[in-house]
Amino acid sequence: AVSLRAARTSAACMAAIITKIDAKLSGEHVIAIDGSVYEKHPTFAKNVRIALTEIFGRRASRVKISLVKDGSGIGAAVMAAVASAQ
């Protein structure tokens, strides 16, 4: 029950950001995700996908989720590069 709720909450957050960027979900979107729960939990990724489908319907196929290793390290490097450029 806890992991199902976590997956659905994660999907709701993803959907909110995507909707803010593209309200009609007219384009393709890729979400990079890093984390052992998403990667190793037996049903977490599937439950995220199910929740996105409940939210967006058929348009959920326009949302791709890509597992990225060391996402936090890469994100920190990008932020440092942007900060130093300013």
Side-chain angles (χ1 to χ4, degrees):
V2 172
S3 65
L4 176 60
R5 183 173 181 168
R8 294 176 66 79
T9 301
S10 297
C13 293
M14 292 175 196
I17 293 169
I18 291 169
T19 300
K20 179 71 173 172
I21 294 168
D22 181 3
K24 296 182 180 181
L25 196 60
S26 56
E28 298 268 331
H29 298 275
V30 178
I31 298 171
I33 192 165
D34 178 18
S36 57
V37 173
Y38 185 85
E39 180 181 8
K40 296 180 181 177
H41 188 282
T43 60
F44 195 86
K46 179 181 120 184
N47 287 332
V48 168
R49 176 56 53 195
I50 290 168
L52 286 173
T53 302
E54 289 176 6
I55 295 167
F56 291 125
R58 292 180 318 184
R59 295 176 300 152
S61 65
R62 297 179 186 161
V63 178
K64 308 294 182 217
I65 301 175
S66 178
L67 183 63
V68 177
K69 296 292 187 176
D70 193 30
S72 58
I74 294 167
V78 169
M79 292 299 291
V82 169
S84 69
Q86 294 179 355

